[in-house]
Structures are given as structure tokens and as C-alpha cells.
Amino acid sequence: MVLTATAAPAPPDGAEFFEKNIRPVLAERCYKCHGATSEKIKGGLVLETADGLTSGGDNGAILVAGDVEKSRLITALRYTDSELQMPPPKSGQLSADQIKNFETWVKMGAPDPRPRSAVAATTKPSIDFEEARKFWSYQPVKDPAIPNIVDQAWPLGAVDHFILAKLEAQHLTPAAQTGRRTLIRRATFDLTGLPPTPEEVDAFVADDSPTAFEKLVDRLLATKQYGERWGRHWLDVVRYADTSGCNSDFPVPSAFRYRNYVIDSFNRDKPFDQFVREQLAGDLLPAKDDAQKQEQTIATGYLAIARRFGSRAAEFHLTIEDTIDNVGKGMLGLSVSCARCHDHKFDPIPNRDYYALYGIFNSTTYAFPGTEVYRHSKDFVLMGKPEDVAAAKKNAADLADLDNLLEHLTNERRPLEQLTKAAMATTQASTRPSATTMPSINGRTLLQVIADQEAAKGKLRGLELKTFNVEKAYAVGEGTPADAKIQKKGDPTALGAKVPRGFLEVLGGQHLPAEEKGSGRLELAQWITDSSNPLFARVMVNRIWQNHFGKGIVQTPNDFGVRGKRPTNPELLDYLATRFVQSGFSVKAMHKIIMLSRAYQLSCADDAKNAAIDNANDSLWRFTRRRLSAEEIRDAMLAVSGTLNKSQGMAHAFPPEVEWKYTQHTPFVAAYETNRRSVYLMQQRIRKQPFLDVFDGADTNVTTADRPMSITAIQALFMMNDPLVHDLSDKFAVRVGMACPAEVERIGYAYRLALGRPPTADEVRMGRDYLRECRARMKDVNVAWDQQSRMALASYMRVVVSSNEFFFVD
């Protein structure tokens, strides 16, 4: 009953990290002196090739892969050695974030996908798109014929034919069917993220009809807990958070509306293509009434939740990059943002394609949650009576004007303070400057600027106290439509040629029509979800398969490009993608196709035979044992303790906006506990929610395609000592104690609640021995007699919920 070790979290993709964070800095700051074609290579050090960087220069190696402190490159970047400072001080040191990226890269082993030769290619041939489209993922989806198999009795559906055909070709025999109790626990966690109740288990075990499992799946798909479970999968992909991610991590109180929109959409089985179109351009889609218009506008929260950076609006190009990165990976399975600084080094995505998309999002107005410099939110979509909305908009505009004025006055004040301080230091007390003789700049003195600041702050306080009867949606709207210029090497201050707004060339290369007066988001939504796009359906059905079987048919769910893994069963992938389109993009229909297969219902016992088959087929032919996700662990403890509140979560208890004075030194940090499901926990960007952090919750800063699942000593200590675990174990004990008067019955009921099965005779004996020993120890430390039984039972409940069987699904 002890948690055992498993695989460590998967490292980030090194090649992509290099392309996004290392190569652009090398190109911008280093190649002039250390390029392969430089007129004079300083210090004999070439940084333009992989070999040049690893071999070092005249003074030896500068890089020790995996060891930051022994890498002279890092020493040079940090400026900790006065004799070794690069780039030279006259050129300016790299930023703290850039240096941190180099440190991370070295820790990763310094992955470098560039040419190994001593001379780098100075030009790259233009992309041959006709040749590029021959790659498997850019080929049109085909509806393959169902394969012939020998064992006609084994399959329960077409999915099984594709799997069994591969096994028979290798002369392998599938595993046996799993037991009924295991199957209902597997299906219930998969579709709802909660354990089945003892009554549900008993009913399924007793149902011997041929459609028993199909009825179970239908029942689970109809629960509102289904949307909470599968909505969480999508929230992982879109890196949902309730805070902005800027230096101060400002709260976004209305972000929950988008979260609930996602959950409700899965529960209603909204067609997935419509679901995506609404998230990209819901405000531009037709609506039958105000309620639908509001829902579709809230859906664009997908774009609004893009991460914010820094302390002001000047870093907004990074928010657009984050948007493009997520759209590319989440909806197309492509690392499009790798083309921000140059043509993609692996996939057929030229630099101009990145800026074709950039122009679309740069023509969009994102809701602004506030930053250290501009504390007040603006451009949220307001919902209410027209007169209330108009008044709230004016107030927000006035606040923004005052924020701008105060920043201007702060910048104006600094040099005046220096002049005044110098004047005060060089004159006698009797001749110090007066209000009329103080130093001035452009006719304005320090006292005048201070007076203006105080007046502006007074107006600001008055506007902050105003309240309006309107609701906010963290969403987007149309901005000023314009094509973007290429940013040379990703630098927004170094602009190149203008690029028409449009789509990726390899997927059609459509451009906005000349008469289009909007941002282009509506057209982009249509291009992405078009049935001729070979990636859209494939990427989503692969995610569904992955979240049922543990691995995708393509095991790099966010990368269907050259650097990603090839599909282990491409015919099955296309079969599912075809069915997905034919079903009207019904996610629930895909669940049934997959779960009603025999492959899903097989045993995942880890015996030698199955291990051999797994190795031959990359573990894709059957359900694989998995640890519960962080949310499932917490929700299961709430469920068995009888304290789970199944109502939908709404807004979090953030402080009133008038009190927000967060800075990068004192950022917003909070954790709000709730007995609702974990999908409703407040999620921050600069700090993970404590429980989710311990158990590998999703990273809210980047798209999470596949959560690493680790078992660590910290997790075991958490289960032993955390107050939440103790509290829920105590409530679990109260529930069991009130339901069953006898000790044996209590042990049996606890097992049925937590593990979905009755205990064995040995488990009953061990449980009774444990309870007896607990009571004896409490008696020794003078615990009151009437508390001994409850405390012993609570301790035993903590053992049960800490067991491997509770933590894992077979």
C-alpha cells in the first residue's frame, strides 16, 4: 500500500527550445564577431554551427553540456568574471531572461539541431511545397478499407480489425478481457474523473445483457461530470489560467466564464469544428439571440487568456507569439511559432507565414487585465443594459487615460528630481531654490509635476470607486485591421516587408480577400476547420485516443511535423478521423467508437506476454495502467469522503479590483480552497495551485499535450501530513463509521467506496490489526476513549487513499 517510483517528468523538446530561445540571440548578438563567414572570427570561436560551439575557440571549450557552472559560456554571459564578458559591455549584457534561457539550455544537455560542419550554410533554398505536401500529415485524410483478419470472433468493432491485423502480422495474441469491476472503474474515471459508487459497480456487475457496457458508457456521457473531465483535457491544451502571467500576475476574475463555456460545450457535445470556430471568432459568427451571441463572445476567451509578459503593453508581440504557438500546436499539431525569427528549420513553414497569422491577431483587440504600470483593466467585453455598458466603457477609458498620464508624469519627474537635488547640494541654505527659482525642464518644475501627480491620483481614486451593473467577459474584439511587417530576427523594432494576412502555405495558403474589412479571424477559423485541412480532425482524434489509452497513435500530440513521431497505425488514425468528420465532429461519438472496442476492454496486467506485445506495438493496442491525474486524486478523495460539492464553480474570491496594487516584487499570489471539483480551483501562472503542483498538474504557461506522471517522496509525504488529506480522511471515517457499526463492515465499505471492490480476507485481517494497534498507541498517550475509534479509523482511511490501488486505474 505504498506509492512506488515511476518515470520522471518528460523534458521539454530541446530542438524547439534552441530554435525559439537560443538561436535568435546567437544570430542577433554573436554572429557578427563569431559567425562562420565573419571577416575576422574573434578568438577563433565560431558560434554559427553546432561543431563550432562545442569545440570552442583559441582558449579552449566554452560549453560543458549539462553543467552550467563549468560552462565558460555562462560565465561570460553572467559578467561574473571581469576578464570574460560577452557580448562586450559596450554592446550591452543579455537580459536576465535570456541568460536564464541559456542556463536552461545547458542543463538540458545543450541540444543543437544546426549543421555539424565547420561552415554553416549561408542561404536556405526556398521551400518546395509540392514536395513538402508528400509528408504523411499533409496528405489528405483517406478512408481506409477495414483490414482482413484471421480471428473473426475477437473484434467488437472496426477499431479492433486495425489492431488485430497488426498483431496477427507479428504472430501475437491479444490479452484477455478485463474484469467487470475493473472495467467500470476504468470507464468511470476515463469519462468523469471520479470513482464509481458501490451501487453503480454492483448494478454493472449484475447486468449480464450484451449491451451492458454500452449502456454504462451512454450513462457516463450523459452526466455533467463528463464535461468537467474532458473540458479539463482541453484546458490543458489551451493553457488555461485565472491570472494573466505578467510580472505581477494580475488576476482575471472573469476568466472562469471561458472555463465554464468549455465544460458546457463538451457536455452538450458541441460539434468540435464549431467549438473551435467559436473560440477563434465567436464574436463574428451569426447568432440567433443575445444568449448565443454572449456565449460565442465568451468563447473567444481562448484568445484572451494568451499569456501576458512584462509590466506594460510594450511586450504584446510576445502575447501574439503565444497565441500563434497555441493555435499551431493545439489545433494543427504544428510548431508554427518556430518561424517567428526565420523560416522553420524542419517543417515547411516560412517566416512570412508566421507574420501572415501575426497580422490577423495584431488586428484583434485583446482584453487587458492590467499590469504594474497600467493597473486598470480595459477592453473587456461588457454585458448589460446599453446605458450601463456605455458608462462603464467611459469610466474604463478615463482610467486608462489617467494611467497613461501618471506614467508620463513619473518619467517627467525623474530628471527634475536629479536637477533639484543637485541644486540643493551646491547652494547655501539661505540661497536654496524657492518655488519660483527651482530648476525646470520645458518650463516645468518638480513642484508643478508633483502637484499634477497628486491631482491625477485624486481623480483616479474617484473613478476606481465607481461601480456599474455590468458583467465582464475576458474576450477579444475587432481591432484596426492591418497586415503585419516581418520582424527581422523576431525583433519588433526591426521591420521588413509587409505580409498579407493569411494561412499556412502548406495547408492552402489562403489570403484575405481585398474587400475584407475585419481582422481575418473569421476566415482563419474557417480555414482551420475546413474538411480539406488534413490536420484538424487527425489532431483531435489522436488526443481522444491518447486520453483513453495513455499514448496517442501519434505520440507527439502537438507535433505532427518532421520532428514529431510517425503514427504507429496510420490507417487506424485516418479511419477515426473519417468517422469524426462523418459524425459531425461529435466527440461523444468518438468515445463510443473507441471504448466499445475490445482493445479498450482488455486487461492491462503487466505480465511478460503483454509486455512483449507492448514493446512490439508501442503500447497502443490496449488500455495501459495509469496513475490518476492530480484532479482525479483530489476529486476521488472528496467523493469517498462524501463532501464533494458537484455544483459548477463560478467566480473566485479575488480581492476587489480597487485594492490591486501588485508589482513584480509583490505579485498576486493566492490559493482558494473549495470542496467543488478540482477543475474549478483557481489556477495561477506564476505559481501552481499547491495540490496540483505536487501531483503533476498542467503547466498554465504553455500548452500541455501530455502530462508527466511522476511518483515522488514529496507526494508520499504530502499524503501523510497535508491538512487537506487529514481532513478528508477524517470525513471518510465519519461516513464509514455512520454507515457501518461493525469494524469488519467498515473495512468492507471503505474498500468498496475507494477501490470499487470488497476486501480479501487477508486485507480485512490487516485492517483490523492496524486499527487495534492505532487504538493501543492512542491509549498510551492518553487520548480520550471516545476519540480512539474515530482517530484510528481516520488513520486507516488515510492508508486506503494513499494506496497504489487508489492512485492507479487498471
Side-chain angles (χ1 to χ4, degrees), residues 11-15 17-18 21-23 26 47 53-54 61-78 94 97-112 114:
D13 179 45
F17 187 88
F18 177 87
N21 301 291
I22 305 302
R23 188 200 285 258
L26 293 175
L47 298 179
L53 196 152
T54 55
I62 65 166
L63 180 67
V64 179
D67 195 326
V68 172
E69 301 307 322
K70 291 183 180 179
S71 295
R72 294 173 61 242
L73 171 65
I74 302 302
T75 302
L77 298 180
R78 288 172 171 172
L94 299 186
D97 285 343
Q98 289 172 325
I99 295 171
K100 185 177 179 179
N101 283 336
F102 271 87
E103 292 171 347
T104 300
W105 175 65
V106 171
K107 289 177 184 176
M108 294 166 67
D112 191 340
R114 297 177 301 167

Side-chain angles (χ1 to χ4, degrees), residues 540-557:
M540 186 55 185
V541 297
N542 188 65
R543 294 193 195 281
I544 298 171
W545 184 275
Q546 169 201 351
N547 286 311
H548 279 307
F549 284 86
K551 290 184 180 180
I553 299 171
V554 177
Q555 293 183 34
T556 49

